[in-house]
């Protein structure tokens, strides 16, 4: 029985081997082998190209002003809230005015007293001036009388010598011609002038006191004006650091106002990039959190010196933000061309091969690969300019090009 079983198994294996070999021969007989290399191609096209770079950065307020009180004191009133829009000279805070109002009243009284003293000193000076005028008039009158008396004395002497008049009449004539009254009148003039000088000194002192009193009043009034803290510029209250009743020393800002109508995007670039940028250059600006699509802007400022800490150069792009959608601190980026070409032949850079310093491409012509030597131009990473060697519409092999040689059969399985 064991022998019979072994024989049956052997016969079965032989039959199966024979049947399998026959079927395989029949299957391979019907296959026609094809010899080709599958490839993908991209067409060479005429287009504008640029060497684009993208620079990251942040948005900043164009102008900010810290609001500090001019005088220390207690803040009695806060008239704004965080986020409020304010115009220039809007009242923001009011400092306590009680002590300063008292100073203003005292200064005003000092001015009134000084004004009265000045008027009195002026009146005294005017009276002294009138005294001088009266003394001078009296002097001139005496002088004229004495001159007439001297003429009369000469005639009287002649009459006395002729015996026509008495001794007493001659003495009266001599007394009338005496110059002593004239000397007394001159003395009165000098006294009046001295009195006038004293009154002028008093008047000038009064004027000086009035000036000082008025200065004190203006200073007190200015201090009162300084208790009204106004906005130095138009903008938005971006920080508020005080509440009513708090003391302010005048050294810490009570608030910060930011101009958000105009913002600027700032990016910092390295030395190998900065010289490829220029003021006025167009850029595509995108602030993803505030914009649905990018906008065209221009470079407005390029720093001529690097930051001492980072050794990077600051670049600014100003943004019109009248809609107030963009906020300071938002992140974004700008895209710009550092080099550009117009109407040039461009192909996918994957298709350009390098062999010992020479560049060539494999072009699909019908079902065959054709090797063409090319002269490349500007390289932007994904695409490259072809100066010579290709024409528009050529199908450049960009996948499989490393596995085909000139004249080999190919089959396009992808790309354009």
């Amino acid at each position: 029985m064991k022998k019979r079983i072994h024989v049956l198994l052997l016969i079965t294996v032989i039959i199966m081997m024979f049947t399998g070999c026959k079927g395989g021969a029949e299957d391979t007989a019907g296959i026609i082998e094809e010899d080709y290399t599958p490839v993908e191609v991209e067409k060479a096209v005429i287009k504008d190209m640029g060497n684009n770079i993208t620079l990251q950065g942040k948005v900043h307020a164009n102008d900010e002003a810290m609001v500090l009180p001019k005088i220390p004191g207690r803040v009695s009133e806060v008239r704004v809230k965080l986020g409020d829009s304010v115009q220039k000279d809007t009242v923001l805070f009011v400092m306590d005015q009680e002590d300063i109002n008292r100073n203003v009243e005292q200064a005003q009284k000092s001015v009134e007293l000084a004004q009265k003293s000045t008027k009195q000193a002026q009146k005294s000076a005017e009276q002294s001036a009138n005294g001088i005028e009266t003394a001078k008039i009296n002097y001139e009158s005496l002088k004229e009388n004495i001159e007439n008396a001297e003429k009369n004395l000469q005639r009287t002497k002649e009459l006395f010598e002729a015996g026509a008049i008495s001794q007493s009449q001659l003495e009266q004539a001599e007394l009338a011609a005496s110059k002593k009254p004239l000397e007394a009148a001159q003395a009165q003039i000098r006294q009046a002038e001295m009195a006038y000088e004293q009154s002028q000194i008093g008047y000038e002192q009064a004027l000086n006191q009035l000036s000082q009193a008025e200065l004190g009043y203006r200073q007190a009034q200015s201090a009162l004006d300084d208790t009204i803290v106004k906005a130095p510029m138009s903008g938005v209250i971006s920080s508020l650091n005080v509440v009513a009743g708090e003391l302010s020393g005048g050294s810490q800002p009570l608030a910060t106002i930011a101009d958000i109508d105009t913002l600027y995007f700032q990016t910092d670039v390295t030395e190998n990039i900065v010289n490829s940028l220029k003021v006025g250059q167009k850029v595509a600006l995108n602030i993803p959190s505030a914009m649905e699509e990018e906008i065209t802007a221009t470079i407005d400022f390029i720093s001529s010196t690097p930051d001492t800490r980072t050794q990077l150069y600051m670049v600014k792009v100003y943004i019109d933000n009248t809609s107030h959608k963009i906020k300071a601190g938002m992140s974004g980026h700008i895209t710009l061309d550092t080099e550009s070409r117009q109407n040039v032949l461009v192909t996918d850079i994957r298709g350009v091969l390098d062999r010992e310093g020479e560049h060539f491409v494999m072009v699909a012509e019908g079902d065959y690969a054709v090797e063409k030597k090319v002269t490349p131009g500007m390289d932007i990473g994904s695409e490259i300019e072809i100066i010579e060697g290709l024409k528009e519409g050529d199908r450049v092999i960009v996948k499989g090009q490393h596995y085909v040689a000139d004249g080999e059969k190919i089959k396009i399985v992808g790309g354009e």
Side-chain angles (χ1 to χ4, degrees):
M1 288 296 293
K2 288 182 179 180
K3 289 181 180 180
R4 288 179 182 178
I5 291 171
H6 285 308
V7 171
L8 288 174
L9 288 172
L10 180 60
I11 293 171
T12 302
V13 171
I14 292 171
I15 293 172
M16 289 176 65
M17 290 176 63
F18 179 79
T19 303
C21 291
K22 184 178 180 181
E26 290 176 354
D27 290 341
T28 54
I31 296 174
I32 301 174
E33 293 185 0
E34 293 187 44
D35 188 12
Y36 64 82
T37 302
V39 297
E40 291 185 10
V41 299
E42 295 287 345
K43 287 184 180 179
V45 295
I46 300 292
K47 63 186 289 190
D48 296 340
M49 69 181 303
N51 194 5
N52 293 338
I53 60 172
T54 298
L55 302 172
Q56 304 294 326
K58 280 193 174 185
V59 177
H60 299 266
N62 179 44
D63 194 9
E64 285 188 338
M66 293 185 294
V67 181
L68 294 95
K70 294 182 179 180
I71 58 173
R74 189 178 301 277
V75 179
S76 61
E77 187 178 353
V78 178
R79 296 190 180 181
V80 291
K81 300 186 298 296
L82 188 64
D84 282 356
S85 294
V86 296
Q87 298 298 316
K88 187 177 184 299
D89 293 329
T90 300
V91 176
L92 307 177
F93 313 100
V94 179
M95 310 295 289
D96 184 71
Q97 299 177 337
E98 185 177 353
D99 291 339
I100 297 176
N101 277 328
R102 283 198 296 268
N103 293 338
V104 171
E105 291 175 1
Q106 291 174 356
Q108 189 172 10
K109 289 179 180 178
S110 297
V111 170
E112 292 172 355
L113 290 173
Q115 287 173 340
K116 289 180 181 179
S117 298
T118 302
K119 287 181 180 179
Q120 291 174 353
Q122 184 179 15
K123 186 176 181 180
S124 176
E126 290 173 353
Q127 290 174 346
S128 298
N130 291 336
I132 293 173
E133 189 65 28
T134 301
K136 286 182 177 180
I137 291 172
N138 183 47
Y139 174 81
E140 293 297 330
S141 177
L142 284 173
K143 184 179 178 183
E144 184 179 355
N145 291 337
I146 290 171
E147 288 174 351
N148 291 332
E150 286 177 342
K151 293 177 182 178
N152 184 52
L153 176 61
Q154 186 62 32
R155 290 192 298 271
T156 302
K157 284 181 177 180
E158 292 174 355
L159 291 172
F160 177 74
E161 291 175 355
I165 60 173
S166 65
Q167 180 69 34
S168 61
Q169 288 176 319
L170 175 61
E171 292 175 352
Q172 288 178 354
E174 288 175 344
L175 182 62
S178 174
K179 291 186 177 181
K180 288 184 178 180
L182 192 61
E183 293 174 356
Q186 286 179 331
Q188 288 179 350
I189 292 175
R190 286 194 296 271
Q191 289 176 354
E193 287 175 343
M194 290 177 63
Y196 177 73
E197 289 176 2
Q198 292 296 324
S199 65
Q200 279 295 108
I201 292 173
Y203 178 59
E204 289 174 1
Q205 289 176 342
L207 285 176
N208 186 47
Q209 290 174 354
L210 175 60
S211 177
Q212 290 179 349
E214 288 175 339
L215 176 61
Y217 176 74
R218 288 194 299 270
Q219 289 175 341
Q221 189 63 50
S222 177
L224 182 61
D225 293 340
D226 289 342
T227 62
I228 308 297
V229 184
K230 297 180 180 180
M233 59 177 278
S234 298
V236 172
I237 304 296
S238 59
S239 70
L240 188 63
N241 307 314
V242 70
V243 296
E246 280 189 351
L247 285 172
S248 172
S251 59
Q252 295 296 324
L254 302 182
T256 303
I257 299 176
D259 174 16
I260 61 171
D261 288 339
T262 302
L263 304 174
Y264 68 88
F265 172 87
Q266 177 182 328
T267 184
D268 300 306
V269 300
T270 56
E271 60 184 23
N272 63 326
I273 294 178
V274 68
N275 283 332
S276 63
L277 309 179
K278 61 178 182 283
V279 173
Q281 184 174 356
K282 298 293 183 183
V283 299
L285 171 66
N286 190 9
I287 312 295
S289 57
M291 298 178 178
E292 294 181 359
E293 56 186 18
E294 64 184 25
I295 61 172
T296 300
T298 58
I299 294 176
D300 295 287
F301 171 80
I302 301 174
S303 174
S304 57
T305 56
D307 185 282
T308 54
R309 297 168 300 170
T310 64
Q311 293 302 307
L312 299 176
Y313 294 84
M314 181 191 303
V315 178
K316 288 184 179 181
V317 175
Y318 285 95
I319 310 167
D320 181 8
N321 189 42
T322 51
S323 65
H324 295 175
K325 287 184 178 179
I326 304 173
K327 304 293 189 294
M330 287 184 172
S331 299
H333 62 266
I334 55 173
T335 304
L336 65 153
D337 293 337
T338 56
E339 187 180 4
S340 62
R341 299 278 193 277
Q342 284 74 42
N343 297 319
V344 294
L345 186 65
V346 178
T347 189
D348 193 311
I349 196 169
R350 294 177 296 170
V352 180
L353 305 174
D354 186 349
R355 183 191 300 134
E356 297 180 354
E358 292 187 346
H359 297 86
F360 65 95
V361 296
M362 303 302 295
V363 177
E365 292 186 0
D367 293 334
Y368 296 92
V370 177
E371 180 180 315
K372 291 188 176 183
K373 184 179 178 181
V374 295
T375 302
M378 187 174 72
D379 177 358
I380 63 170
S382 60
E383 295 179 320
I384 189 169
E385 175 191 8
I386 302 299
I387 299 173
E388 291 182 351
L390 286 180
K391 64 181 182 297
E392 184 179 8
D394 280 350
R395 296 180 297 172
V396 178
I397 299 174
V398 297
K399 201 174 227 184
Q401 68 272 31
H402 297 284
Y403 306 108
V404 295
D406 185 37
E408 286 189 359
K409 191 171 185 180
I410 59 173
K411 182 175 182 180
I412 298 173
V413 296
E416 294 185 355

